Amino acid sequence: MNGIKIRGTGRCVPKKVVTNQDLANIVETSDEWITTRTGIQHRHHCVTESHADLCLWAARSALEKAGVTPDQIGAVIVATVTPGTACPSAACLLQRDLGLPADIPCFDLNAACTGFLFALHTMECLLNASPRKFGLVVGAEQLSRVINWEDRNTCILFGDGAGAAVVECREGWPSISAVLGAKGDDELLRLPGLEAGERSFIAMDGKKVFKFAVEAVPACIDAVLEKASKTVEDVDFFVFHQANARIIDLAVRKYHVPPEKYYKNISEYGNTAAASVPLVLSELQDQGRIGPGSRMLVVAFGGGLTWGGALMEFA
């Protein structure tokens, strides 16, 4: 199977910034308590922006940077757990708003915080069977809509935003060596849906999720490196899902990753679930820290439970 590479990225976050002090005015917490335990200082929440707005603005930016026109796109996947509507999907709305071809698959994918990685691997498979060799992958969340503002353990964590990547499939390119997994669990991290008989609020057992994450991250790194026949030294940049700064710190210490090879933006955005990884990729591209030829090991984990890793390159 031919592999995919990233051609361009884009992002969009709402204008409203919610600080730790803002939350301390709502629930019993403090800036110090939140920062020391999570690394989060700010998060962005939608006021006038919709989920569809976030997707559209991030996708437009990615197309522009990639130098790809709408008629060249062969498939669209939006990774999300908080679409504006269950039907039509966020991907179908994006097809309409961008004026993409009508004869391409467009659908949403729910793998929680691992969604963008699941979507990348799915796109790799789709483009191998498509006459059009460019795909649009978006991770977008409006988590402020599902926050329980009386639960201080979760309301401090989540933010809204979207990140997008235009990828290209070409003969002779290596596979992204995706390693994906899931283990059904509706207790550790839960977001009820329609007809569930309960409010659609995020509920989480933070300690157990943390334990799951610190085991899942290195397991994904090891599995991807083995599948790709690479070593830590072959990786130009490590891109981690931004759920908790301490989880990232543990991983970089374990693999002796130098500061110039990883990045944390959780202090600004909080946990944006499926948008987390593409937000990092977009910022890194704009900063010139990754670009043509860069090889990135991307790792994520989330509700489901789900986990995944992949070795991505910039075209």
Side-chain angles (χ1 to χ4, degrees):
M1 184 170 71
N2 299 317
I4 58 172
K5 295 186 180 184
I6 297 174
R7 282 289 300 264
T9 62
R11 67 185 182 278
C12 175
V13 292
K15 293 180 181 179
K16 181 182 179 181
V17 177
V18 179
T19 67
N20 289 345
Q21 184 55 52
D22 291 333
L23 295 175
N25 295 332
I26 300 173
V27 294
E28 186 180 348
T29 190
S30 68
D31 174 62
E32 181 184 11
W33 192 92
I34 298 171
T35 302
T36 56
R37 287 164 176 77
T38 69
I40 301 170
Q41 294 180 309
H42 311 91
R43 66 288 290 152
H44 295 246
H45 286 171
C46 292
V47 177
T48 59
E49 305 94 343
S50 68
H51 187 280
D53 290 335
L54 300 177
C55 291
L56 177 61
W57 296 333
R60 278 178 173 165
S61 178
L63 285 166
E64 182 179 350
K65 290 178 186 172
V68 172
T69 57
D71 61 290
Q72 293 178 283
I73 295 296
V76 179
I77 305 175
V78 176
T80 184
V81 296
T82 55
T85 54
C87 183
S89 69
C92 283
L93 295 177
L94 196 53
Q95 181 275 334
R96 177 198 66 188
D97 295 341
L98 287 172
L100 302 178
D103 60 341
I104 63 173
C106 301
F107 58 92
D108 293 355
L109 185 155
N110 177 359
C113 304
T114 323
F116 190 76
L117 275 168
F118 273 58
L120 282 174
H121 178 58
T122 304
M123 183 61 74
E124 184 177 49
C125 297
L126 286 173
L127 292 181
N128 268 272
S130 172
R132 299 183 181 94
K133 295 304 179 182
F134 295 98
L136 176 60
V137 183
V138 181
E141 303 289 5
Q142 199 173 354
L143 294 166
S144 59
R145 295 167 45 229
V146 293
I147 288 175
N148 180 356
W149 294 105
E150 296 179 359
D151 181 3
R152 72 168 186 165
N153 293 315
T154 59
C155 73
I156 64 174
L157 300 175
F158 300 103
D160 302 338
V166 172
V167 298
E168 179 183 0
C169 180
R170 188 178 295 182
E171 185 177 354
W173 280 355
S175 166
I176 63 174
S177 299
V179 174
L180 307 172
K183 181 180 180 181
D185 188 305
D186 62 355
E187 295 182 359
L188 265 63
L189 209 169
R190 178 175 173 79
L191 175 58
L194 299 172
E195 306 300 330
E198 54 185 299
R199 294 291 301 275
S200 288
F201 289 148
I202 297 174
M204 182 173 67
D205 186 327
K207 291 183 179 179
K208 290 184 178 179
V209 171
F210 185 92
K211 181 180 179 182
F212 154 67
V214 297
E215 295 173 353
V217 169
C220 286
I221 292 175
D222 291 341
V224 171
L225 291 175
E226 180 179 0
K227 188 173 183 178
S229 298
K230 302 295 182 183
T231 67
V232 170
E233 289 71 27
D234 294 322
V235 178
D236 297 315
F237 218 97
F238 288 80
V239 177
F240 298 97
H241 165 48
Q242 307 286 306
N244 186 298
R246 292 188 294 164
I247 295 171
I248 298 173
D249 292 340
L250 287 170
V252 298
R253 283 201 296 268
K254 176 180 175 63
Y255 292 94
H256 306 289
V257 180
E260 65 271 16
K261 281 194 171 188
Y262 72 96
Y263 184 67
K264 289 188 287 189
N265 63 6
I266 189 172
S267 64
E268 178 61 27
Y269 302 122
N271 184 345
T272 56
S276 172
V277 164
L279 280 173
V280 171
L281 291 171
S282 177
E283 286 201 326
L284 290 173
Q285 184 184 17
D286 283 353
Q287 295 170 12
R289 299 178 68 178
I290 57 175
S294 295
R295 179 184 291 146
M296 301 149 293
L297 203 159
V298 185
V299 183
F301 55 88
L305 299 167
T306 62
W307 58 88
L311 197 64
M312 291 296 303
E313 294 183 19
F314 260 86

